Structures are given as C-alpha cells and as structure tokens.
C-alpha cells in the first residue's frame, strides 16, 4: 500500500487516514507531495483521480478521499476496533464523523492551514500561533464542536480518554480540529466548555503517540 499525502505540516485531510492506518499496524509507504508549487497540479493528478489528497494505492486500485480510506481500513483490518463496540455509540460515532467530514466550513476557511494571502504558513505542528478568529460563523462552529465532544464524552467516554472511550475513527477526524484550536488559540471555555472536558480531550489528541510521530516528521520536513 502507498498513501499519498500533502505537506505533512498542514495537510489536515491527509492526517486522518494516516492516523487510522498507523492504528491498524498497516504496512504502507508514504509519498508526500507539495500542495503549493509550480508542479503541484501535475504531481497530484499523477497520483489521484481528483487531483487531491489523500489517496491510497492498494492492489492496483486508488482509493481517494479520507473517509473512503478509513472505511477501507475498517474492512481490511476487522480485528482493530476502529469503531466503538457498543451499537449506539457506533451509530453516533459514524454520525459525528460524517458531520466532521462535511461540515464546519467557517472554521476550515477562517482557520485555514497552509499559506495565507500574506504568505504566512499556518501549520498543525510547531510553536507558531495565529490570532483567534472573530467571526460569529466560526464561533458557531466551535460551539457545535464543543457540544459534540461534551455529549459523546459524557455518554460514551468513561472507558478511556477519547471521544468514545477507546480511540476510534472519530478521534482521527477530530485531531486536525484540535490542531486548529491550538494554532488559532481558540478558548473552548468561551464556547460552552464550562468545566474543561472538551479542552482536556483536545489536549489528549495532541499528545496521542501517532500524532506526535506525524508531528516530528512534519517538523523535520520543514527544517
């Protein structure tokens, strides 16, 4: 298997399936392509039918989109609990993953990762920080995310530090969100996290060993 990703410092969509494949213990090679450069469009088109990342090459087939790759991983590695065992938790885990995948456009656009119009590169890793966003659209997105985290943690998170207790695909999809909260210095307490449950969960995601491995490689690539 070969996983095609964008710049590891800021390709949020690429991070998700990488975390899932690492969790599965999958053997795969990694090809990192520059998302912004004179040859980027050509290189991306050579490896992905959509010209976007991530994409996974396996058995002569290219699977594109982070959701599709994660679904493939759950099928290929059924012994790895990528979804919660409890059926109610599993239904809701899939619901929130789909919401993460399709929604929160204001947060994505106004707290973007990668180079901005001024040439500043916003990254998921490293010590750089950006001012918090001021728009109500972003605030609404953050409130919704905080509400999801708090509800799922309260209902299903007693067995461990993650959203549904044990680590799952839902945590892979929320990890890039956690990096946005950190980089843009978003105060979750100001968005409904009255007792710090969501903030503690975000901190846990940012210390998860596979994410730290990704971060170390991304920082090394930038130096």
């Amino acid at each position: 298997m070969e996983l095609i990703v964008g710049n590891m410092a800021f390709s949020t969509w690429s991070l998700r399936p990488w975390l899932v494949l690492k969790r599965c213990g999958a053997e795969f090679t990694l090809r990192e392509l520059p998302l912004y450069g004179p040859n980027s469009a050509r290189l991306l088109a050579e490896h992905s039918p959509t010209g976007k990342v991530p994409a996974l090459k396996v058995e002569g087939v290219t699977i594109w989109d982070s959701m599709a790759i994660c679904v493939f991983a759950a099928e290929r590695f059924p012994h790895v609990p990528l979804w919660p065992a409890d059926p109610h938790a599993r239904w809701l885990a899939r619901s929130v993953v789909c919401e993460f995948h399709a929604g929160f456009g204001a947060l994505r656009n106004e707290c973007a990762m990668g180079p901005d119009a001024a040439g500043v590169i916003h990254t998921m890793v490293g010590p750089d920080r950006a001012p918090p966003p001021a728009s109500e659209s972003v605030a609404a997105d953050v409130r919704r995310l905080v509400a999801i985290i708090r509800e799922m943690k309260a209902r299903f998170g007693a067995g461990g530090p993650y959203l549904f207790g044990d680590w799952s695909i839902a945590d892979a999809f929320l990890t890039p969100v956690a990096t946005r909260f950190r980089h843009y210095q978003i105060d979750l307490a100001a968005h409904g996290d009255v007792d710090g449950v969501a903030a503690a969960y975000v901190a846990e995601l940012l210390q998860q060993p596979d994410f730290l491995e990704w971060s170390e490689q991304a920082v090394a690539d930038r130096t």
Side-chain angles (χ1 to χ4, degrees), residues 103-127:
F104 306 105
L107 182 68
R108 296 184 201 280
N109 293 331
E110 297 183 45
C111 298
M113 292 294 177
D116 65 16
V120 175
I121 298 177
H122 299 276
T123 73
M124 297 188 289
V125 300

Side-chain angles (χ1 to χ4, degrees), residues 33-57:
L33 300 179
L35 296 180
Y36 304 97
N39 297 315
S40 292
R42 176 183 60 79
L43 291 170
L44 290 166
E46 288 177 359
H47 294 282
S48 170
T50 61
K52 298 178 180 179
V53 288
L56 181 69
K57 296 182 180 181

Side-chain angles (χ1 to χ4, degrees), residues 18 34 54 57 75 84 87 92 104 120 133-135 172:
W18 186 91
K57 296 182 180 181
E75 293 176 351
L92 292 181
F104 306 105
V120 175
S135 82

Side-chain angles (χ1 to χ4, degrees), residues 4-205:
I4 314 300
V5 302
N7 304 71
M8 293 179 71
F10 53 78
S11 183
T12 58
W13 295 90
S14 298
L15 172 60
R16 295 164 164 179
W18 186 91
L19 289 171
V20 169
L21 291 173
K22 290 289 288 186
R23 190 72 172 190
C24 293
E27 294 184 7
F28 64 96
T29 58
L30 188 69
R31 186 188 297 265
E32 184 180 5
L33 300 179
L35 296 180
Y36 304 97
N39 297 315
S40 292
R42 176 183 60 79
L43 291 170
L44 290 166
E46 288 177 359
H47 294 282
S48 170
T50 61
K52 298 178 180 179
V53 288
L56 181 69
K57 296 182 180 181
V58 55
E59 297 178 6
V61 173
T62 299
I63 306 169
W64 65 92
D65 187 87
S66 59
M67 177 76 81
I69 298 169
C70 292
V71 170
F72 157 82
E75 293 176 351
R76 176 58 66 93
F77 303 96
H79 59 287
V80 180
L82 294 177
W83 296 112
D86 176 84
H88 291 181
R90 189 164 61 249
W91 301 340
L92 292 181
R94 290 170 177 167
S95 294
V96 297
V97 164
C98 288
E99 185 175 353
F100 299 152
H101 191 57
F104 306 105
L107 182 68
R108 296 184 201 280
N109 293 331
E110 297 183 45
C111 298
M113 292 294 177
D116 65 16
V120 175
I121 298 177
H122 299 276
T123 73
M124 297 188 289
V125 300
D128 295 343
R129 298 291 180 263
S135 82
E136 173 54 29
S137 297
V138 172
D141 278 357
V142 176
R143 287 194 297 269
R144 174 59 184 154
L145 284 160
V146 167
I148 290 172
I149 293 168
R150 292 177 61 82
E151 179 185 354
M152 299 307 144
K153 286 289 292 176
R155 294 181 64 178
F156 304 110
Y162 298 109
L163 199 63
F164 293 89
D166 293 331
W167 194 93
S168 72
I169 290 173
D171 302 296
F173 272 66
L174 259 175
T175 299
V177 175
T179 69
R180 282 185 163 91
F181 287 164
R182 177 175 65 179
H183 180 73
Y184 286 93
Q185 305 178 80
I186 295 175
D187 179 10
L188 301 187
H191 295 81
D193 189 29
V194 293
D195 55 5
V197 167
Y201 168 70
V202 165
E204 192 71 39
L205 292 181

